[in-house]
Amino acid sequence: MKAQILDITGKKAKDLTLPKCFNETVRADLIQKIIEAKKVKQPYGCSPLAGNQYSASGKMIHQRKVWKSQYGRGMSRIPRKIMSVRGSQFNWVGATVPNTRGGRRAHPPKPVSMMSLPGINKKELKLALMSALSATTNGKLLIKRYASLADKKVENLPLVVESKFAELKTKDMINSVKVILGEDLSHLAIQKKSIRAGIGKMRGRKYKSTAGLLLVIASDEKVKTTAFDVQTVKKLGVNDLANGGVGRLTLYTEKAIEELKNKFEGKKEWKH
């Protein structure tokens, strides 16, 4: 499979033979399985010491002929702390147990139980990543993901640009992206942030943003921009390429394609 390498002005520079990872059959079911497995739940819970941080001389006991006990006073058997002392008389207040003021919770959320992640088979992970890469070369999947492209035709995928692109300043880079993608795709490239419509504004999710373009660069290239997502080949994952659906709008640099070829077709063992 071949692709065109475009220069920063959007014109064809030369042809490039894509590595085999771009010819894999798109397995949407496997991709979704990996995305679900990689979802991380934020652990939450109260402090392990909550409800036990009081100054007390120990729990009350309920036995006969024991000084400072609950026996014979008509008191319920609740752990108590001393508030004041007058001779042999004590002013106690219930503590520690859930039904007392300032006591611990009965069954609090346990952060430890939220830290475990399901295991991922390495071969499945590799196959899912190759499938996600192949999906970026499929115009039908791209149109299916973006509703605004319903009546349009997308060609010359995947989008590959010369490595000189990574050296541009942000303003020139954005202008170059608009030229390379054209009128039909350029409005999808830049991330847009807007205020959410509805009650979600009051529930900690006031803003929502579009995914935008994904720029894949080589490990030795550096790009700093907030206009779209940037990821190196070394850290590239299924979540970057297919979160929200397969066929994300993706732009690769020439060096990134070479590094992908070495990663999947090299002699070294594949790692992720």
Side-chain angles (χ1 to χ4, degrees), residues 2-13:
K2 291 189 175 182
Q4 296 179 359
I5 298 179
L6 307 174
D7 58 15
I8 57 176
T9 61
K11 296 180 181 179
K12 178 182 175 182

Side-chain angles (χ1 to χ4, degrees), residues 226-244:
T226 56
F228 40 79
D229 290 338
V230 181
Q231 192 60 276
T232 60
V233 172
K234 188 176 181 180
K235 296 181 179 180
L236 186 66
V238 179
N239 281 338
D240 299 314
L241 293 163
N243 198 359

Side-chain angles (χ1 to χ4, degrees), residues 186-256:
S186 59
H187 69 282
L188 300 172
I190 309 302
Q191 290 181 344
K192 297 175 183 176
K193 186 177 179 182
S194 58
I195 297 177
R196 186 183 300 274
I199 201 69
K201 288 193 292 289
M202 301 164 61
R203 295 176 178 164
R205 46 185 185 272
K206 182 178 180 180
Y207 299 100
K208 63 178 183 178
S209 60
T210 58
L213 174 75
L214 173 64
L215 175 63
V216 181
I217 59 177
S219 299
D220 59 345
E221 294 178 320
K222 292 183 180 181
V223 174
K224 288 185 178 181
T225 180
T226 56
F228 40 79
D229 290 338
V230 181
Q231 192 60 276
T232 60
V233 172
K234 188 176 181 180
K235 296 181 179 180
L236 186 66
V238 179
N239 281 338
D240 299 314
L241 293 163
N243 198 359
V246 295
R248 183 178 180 181
L249 183 62
T250 310
L251 178 64
Y252 302 89
T253 62
E254 187 178 358
K255 281 187 178 181

